[in-house]
Structures are given as C-alpha cells and as structure tokens.
Amino acid sequence: EVPSIHPGLFGGVSQWRGALEWKQRMLAYRNTLTLIVLARDSGSGHVELDSEGEPAVHYEVSPPDQESLVLGVMKGVRILVAAGATEVATQHLAYPPFKVSAELGLADPALEEWVRGIARKGLKPSEALVYSAHQMGTCKMGSSPATSVVDPNGQSWEVKNLFVADASTFPTPSGANPMITTMAISYMIAQRIKAMYPRARM
C-alpha cells in the first residue's frame, strides 16, 4: 500500500543516522515514495496494568507474521526498483540504504544480495521498526457473551447502553484497509440504536 504520509509523519518514521543524513532525507521528501506492507496478524497480545497502574501493552510479531512481512518488504523493494527508484531502504535499524544502479536495475547482483540480506535480518525485536494501525477485534462482536464483547447490535454484554461502533467489533483483523467495512458497521449499529430507542434525542 502507498500511504498518505505528510512531512511530519515522514520525519517521525525516518531512521536517525545523524543530523546531516536526516536533513538530506527530509530535503528529498518530495521525491520519496513510501510503501507499507500489511499483514493479517495471526498472533495476539494483551494489555495489563503495570506497577504504577498504567496500561502496558505486550505484543510480539509471531514467526509466520514475521515471515510474511519480510517477504512483503523484499517484494516491495523490487517493485520500487522496477519503477525507477534510485535508492531503497527498509525500517531495519542497522541496515543501510541501497543505491540502485541506473544501468543494471533489478539485474544488479549487489541488489539481489542486499534484498536477501533483508531475509537474513528478519524482524528481530528492537532491530526493525514495525507499526500498527487500524487496530481491529479488541471488542469482538458475536452472539454470545462467552466469546464476544458486544452483541450483534454493538451493545456491550456487560454494560447496558454502551455501544461500540468501529473496527474493534471485527471478529479478526481484515488484512487490508478496513475503512469501508468500519463505516458500514458504524452505520448499521447507528440504525439499530435508532430502532431500539426511537424516542430518544440523538
């Protein structure tokens, strides 16, 4: 996917390898294309309160998901080079960008070796930046309080009149941008709330 990435976000996710290189990267922003690789994660995590009562998130990318993401990055690099990129980089913290040969392009053995290096590095904790967006499935919708958080109307099984109407009602992650489905679920739940409370002032 090619995300909409404004300068502030681009600067925030650009790797820090020193002030000069970062400045050069920001100056090249207008000629930079960012690709992201999406994964329908098969793993899970949990949130608990730490010793100070603050929420602490625990999540590790599962081995199958790591493999899927790495394969996606490798293919993304080849796509960018085929499209004419002059330099490619990943979000691995200790993996320098690769300057693409204008003459050899995808046929450059050095490029192929660099791409294979991505697989060797993998996605070890604290060695590559992995981001999360469109969190899904944290308040799963279902037909039973034993296996879900909200009922088919989006209402919490435990708290009357508490409704959830976003991507957290998904039973599993979609593996793709969920916005159309999220809007459809929100609309459906809004209509059901209207039907349940016809005289309520909305």
Side-chain angles (χ1 to χ4, degrees), residues 1-15 22 25-26 28-37 80 91 129 131 177:
E1 179 179 326
V2 178
S4 173
I5 183 165
H6 55 74
L9 180 56
F10 178 77
V13 300
S14 292
Q15 291 199 32
W22 192 83
R25 191 161 301 284
M26 289 305 296
Y29 164 76
R30 64 183 298 174
N31 297 315
T32 301
L33 174 70
T34 302
L35 281 184
I36 60 173
V37 176
L80 291 172
Q91 287 293 77
L129 301 178
Y131 305 94
N177 192 305

Side-chain angles (χ1 to χ4, degrees), residues 37-81:
V37 176
L38 302 177
R40 181 179 182 183
D41 54 331
S42 60
S44 63
H46 65 278
V47 180
E48 62 184 9
L49 297 179
D50 64 17
S51 60
E52 297 180 2
E54 296 296 322
V57 178
H58 301 274
Y59 180 84
E60 288 187 18
V61 182
S62 68
D65 295 340
Q66 288 186 41
E67 185 178 337
S68 175
L69 287 168
V70 167
L71 182 61
V73 171
M74 293 167 70
K75 290 185 176 188
V77 165
R78 291 188 177 105
I79 289 169
L80 291 172
V81 173

Side-chain angles (χ1 to χ4, degrees), residues 77-144:
V77 165
R78 291 188 177 105
I79 289 169
L80 291 172
V81 173
T86 58
E87 181 180 281
V88 286
T90 71
Q91 287 293 77
H92 289 88
L93 298 178
Y95 203 53
F98 181 83
K99 298 279 189 186
V100 179
S101 166
E103 295 178 3
L104 296 175
L106 287 171
D108 187 351
L111 171 66
E112 192 56 35
E113 176 59 25
W114 188 84
V115 171
R116 282 198 297 267
I118 296 170
R120 287 192 297 271
K121 292 198 75 64
L123 288 178
K124 299 178 185 72
S126 302
E127 291 187 18
L129 301 178
V130 178
Y131 305 94
S132 175
H134 308 299
Q135 287 74 28
M136 296 170 249
T138 54
C139 292
K140 181 176 161 182
M141 179 184 286
S143 58
S144 167

